[in-house]
Amino acid sequence: MNAYDFFLFFSVCETEKRYCLLCNPENGLQERKNWVSAWESLAETQVRGAAGSRRGVEGCFQTSPWAPTRVWTDQVPGWRPELKKEMRLEIAEAVNMEKQPQNKRRGLAPREVPPAVGLLLIMALMNTLLYLCLDHFFIAPRQSIVDPRHCPYGHFRIGQMKNCSPWLSCEELRTEVRQLKRVGEGAVKRVFLSEWKEHKVALSRLTSLEMKDDFLHGLQMLKSLQGAHVVTLLGYCEDDNTILTEYHPLGSLSNLEETLNLSKYQNVNTWQHRLQLAMDYVSIINYLHHSPMGTRVMCDSNDLPKTLSQYLLTSNFSILANDLDALPLVNHSSGTLVKCGHRELHGDFVAPEQLWPYGEDMPFRDNLMPSYDEKIDIWKIPDISSFLLGHIEGSDMVRFHLFDIHKACKSQTPSERPTAQDVLETYQKVLDTLRDAVMSQAREML
């Protein structure tokens, strides 16, 4: 029996004979805690040492495993007076630690959540947040567009303007608009970045008087087709051959790849946003084919770069028609068709009916060239859309789903091609289908 075991034996026997059965050191610390807990209501025992009462000790010896042996503290190996205090502290600390959870259960403190339950709650919260963000991830909502149609005809509103302002007059254009630098030039106009009342604007000037008819035609189309699909007209002056429109810093649609390669636009360089751009383009074509000015054909579209230069890329990544200098009218009722220009066209980009039909043996003559209708715009949709979709992850998947409608657009017979509205509806169905499929796969992975 070591000093620790003897102390337990000796302390209990001094106080109460019936606790002696718990003196057995083989019962372990747990049993010792038990009798200490039951004993704590009694007066604290004062060990009287070797000169203490022999009656209690002897009584305990008679029921203990060591009876009738007589053992005194000075006979225990390793015993020292300080050992008693150390043992008491050790037992008291063990008992207090065991009783703390019981004390907590008696109080008002909430129960501790098991780790497994906490983990499940966290996962459920994460799933909920992910579901709420899936739509935003796959088709991010665009910033609100100030629609000039909200203003009366002949008025405009741009930027943070609260009220609509009348189109600027010649005098206002001369005195209030400050020309900064040239940012573009075409056959008909030169375009200058300018400033009006702290707003960045685009000021277009006629390049030469020979092109004035085209210039005035473009101005008339801008005035008549103002809406969500066309750049906002701010003012004009026919006397000075100037037109003022809203400025879009990303420039023409031909800058799309260069723009999306910038790090700050990587978040919109996805097949979802690119397909939405293609839908914007088809929406513009559909609008021109059903415009307030009748069925209009985008004739400045004889090759891909020229076509892209007719449109602007806005800061919220939508597309606007900008150059409307060549929008001839088709009227099927009266048999009025169009011809885009007066020279021979070549290549696969233009529709078959735009090519000289009489072979190389007969020189091109404009008066012999057959006219055509708005279905030439439909022929070009697959090529424009392919450019807009680019070559990123998911774009080939979109092309696969658009294969049938694009094949129909490329029909050699113009009347067999779908309308722009048909194409737009198919694009929307493909977008919805692919978005739902991707979102479903994302949920299954959780």
Side-chain angles (χ1 to χ4, degrees), residues 82-327:
E82 303 86 71
L83 190 60
K84 179 176 71 172
K85 183 176 181 181
E86 294 175 7
M87 292 181 184
R88 286 183 178 275
L89 291 175
E90 180 181 352
I91 295 175
E93 182 179 355
V95 172
N96 288 335
M97 290 180 64
E98 185 181 20
K99 294 176 67 176
Q100 280 182 357
Q102 298 176 357
N103 293 336
K104 288 183 179 180
R105 286 193 292 269
R106 297 191 193 104
L108 298 178
R111 294 184 177 180
E112 295 183 2
V113 179
V117 176
L119 181 59
L120 291 175
L121 291 175
I122 293 174
M123 292 179 63
L125 178 61
M126 292 176 63
N127 288 347
T128 301
L129 293 176
L130 181 58
Y131 291 160
L132 293 176
C133 295
L134 280 175
D135 279 335
H136 180 83
F137 176 78
F138 291 112
I139 300 294
R142 293 181 171 185
Q143 300 174 6
S144 60
I145 304 174
V146 176
D147 191 342
R149 292 177 300 179
H150 293 169
C151 293
Y153 180 79
H155 294 69
F156 70 92
R157 180 175 55 207
I158 60 172
Q160 301 301 317
M161 292 176 59
K162 296 182 179 180
N163 300 316
C164 296
S165 174
W167 286 338
L168 302 184
S169 64
C170 289
E171 182 62 25
E172 290 171 317
L173 290 176
R174 294 169 187 153
T175 59
E176 298 180 10
V177 177
R178 183 166 66 96
Q179 183 174 301
L180 300 178
K181 64 177 181 179
R182 187 170 68 180
V183 293
E185 182 173 355
V188 180
K189 303 183 293 287
R190 293 187 184 93
V191 183
F192 298 86
L193 172 62
S194 304
E195 191 175 56
W196 172 75
K197 294 185 177 180
E198 299 183 353
H199 293 283
K200 292 293 188 294
V201 293
L203 180 66
S204 300
R205 296 185 181 276
L206 178 65
T207 55
S208 67
L209 292 177
E210 297 177 355
M211 307 301 296
K212 186 164 185 176
D213 288 344
D214 290 340
F215 181 86
L216 294 178
H217 173 79
L219 173 59
Q220 182 59 39
M221 292 296 101
L222 272 176
K223 292 164 61 178
S224 303
L225 300 178
Q226 284 295 285
H229 300 295
V230 177
V231 68
T232 303
L233 177 65
L234 310 183
Y236 62 92
C237 181
E238 293 186 23
D239 294 341
D240 297 341
N241 298 313
T242 57
I243 300 174
L244 192 69
T245 56
E246 184 177 11
Y247 175 70
H248 294 277
L250 296 183
S252 76
L253 193 56
S254 58
N255 298 328
L256 177 64
E257 289 300 327
E258 179 182 352
T259 300
L260 289 178
N261 284 334
L262 299 176
S263 58
K264 64 179 178 179
Y265 295 122
Q266 287 300 301
N267 64 313
V268 294
N269 191 17
T270 64
W271 67 262
Q272 294 93 338
H273 287 90
R274 285 176 173 267
L275 180 54
Q276 185 64 60
L277 287 175
M279 293 177 63
D280 286 350
Y281 169 73
V282 177
S283 295
I284 294 173
I285 297 300
N286 188 51
Y287 174 65
L288 294 178
H289 290 179
H290 301 86
S291 80
M293 300 295 291
T295 301
R296 295 288 170 167
V297 179
M298 179 62 78
C299 265
D300 269 346
S301 57
N302 295 331
D303 55 54
L304 180 60
K306 181 65 174 177
T307 304
L308 297 174
S309 68
Q310 308 304 301
Y311 303 91
L312 292 172
L313 182 64
T314 70
S315 297
N316 71 319
F317 280 85
S318 61
I319 299 177
L320 294 176
N322 179 50
D323 195 337
L324 307 178
D325 298 338
L327 288 181

